[in-house]
Amino acid sequence: MFNAPLLPVLVALSMPALYLLQSRSAAGWINMAFAPVDLAEGRWSGLFTSMLLHGGWAHAFMNAVGALTFGAPVARLLRGPSGVLAFLALYIVSGMVGALGYALVHLDSVVPMVGASGAVFGLIGAATRLLGGQGRVLGLTDRRVITTAAAWMAVNAVTGLIGFAPGAEGARIAWEAHAFGFLAGILLIGPLVRLFGEPKTELRARL
């Protein structure tokens, strides 16, 4: 975390910076939020734009710390221009999958959802497969991966059901989005490292 590559640092810094702009706007930012009912009405852009918004300073800083902490080991394996694109793809796709998964569970909900938590959990999922170190992506059936993933999902479910988290401020926690984002990250990191990791001779990524 304290020796992180530039990319996760910039991603982390973008969260409070964007929230500063959001907090100074009138109410136009709410149009960028995402509600599950938007899917039926053909408004899909919120799957992405909702990641740029947060519910408060604590929410923004909590996600920023998560992106920096878990994005660092991922960024170290995805270097160069192609690695930058792969990292951003992992982050964005995880966030969008998280929002989409939440929407599929709550199809008729009109309550807007904001935050980059799904994307951050994608980085957590990816980092879970890097527990072995040495530039190696562990297999999905590795005991360390299974145990750590189960622990993360247990904490996520308990936190969501209890409804307590820094920055939540009484809002419902979209723990389902966290779970779907985590799933996207843990599945995508293997193929991405095989394709874009450097140096490839040191990587033994498995699907």
Side-chain angles (χ1 to χ4, degrees):
M1 174 179 177
F2 297 104
N3 189 29
L6 180 60
L7 184 54
V9 172
L10 293 177
V11 169
L13 290 176
S14 72
M15 296 180 190
L18 287 171
Y19 183 71
L20 177 62
L21 297 177
Q22 175 189 334
S23 63
R24 292 187 174 183
S25 67
W29 66 270
I30 196 66
N31 295 326
M32 298 173 62
F34 172 72
V37 73
D38 290 345
L39 295 181
E41 298 176 2
R43 297 192 298 269
W44 291 69
S45 60
L47 291 173
F48 170 72
T49 57
S50 61
M51 289 189 285
L52 307 178
L53 309 175
H54 284 88
W57 284 109
H59 188 201
F61 279 115
M62 180 177 63
N63 277 339
V65 171
L68 182 59
T69 303
F70 297 99
V74 177
R76 290 190 186 104
L77 291 186
L78 299 171
R79 304 193 178 203
S82 60
V84 169
L85 293 177
F87 181 95
L88 292 176
L90 172 68
Y91 180 81
I92 293 171
V93 170
S94 294
M96 295 180 69
V97 168
L100 181 60
Y102 175 82
L104 294 178
V105 176
H106 304 278
L107 276 176
D108 298 325
S109 175
V110 297
V111 179
M113 181 183 72
V114 298
S117 300
V120 171
F121 264 83
L123 295 177
I124 294 174
T128 296
R129 293 184 63 185
L130 306 180
L131 292 173
Q134 302 174 348
R136 186 166 67 95
V137 177
L138 299 176
L140 287 169
T141 58
D142 188 285
R143 184 168 59 182
R144 289 165 291 183
V145 173
I146 295 174
T147 302
T148 306
W152 271 113
M153 290 301 95
V155 171
N156 177 50
V158 170
T159 302
L161 294 175
I162 293 176
F164 172 77
E169 300 177 356
R172 184 185 185 281
I173 299 173
W175 63 272
E176 301 95 334
H178 302 170
F180 279 97
F182 183 92
L183 180 62
I186 205 170
L187 292 176
L188 287 173
I189 186 61
L192 287 176
V193 169
R194 286 200 306 166
L195 292 172
F196 305 109
E198 293 183 1
K200 291 182 174 58
T201 56
E202 295 181 6
L203 302 173
R204 298 188 297 277
R206 292 174 286 175
L207 291 177

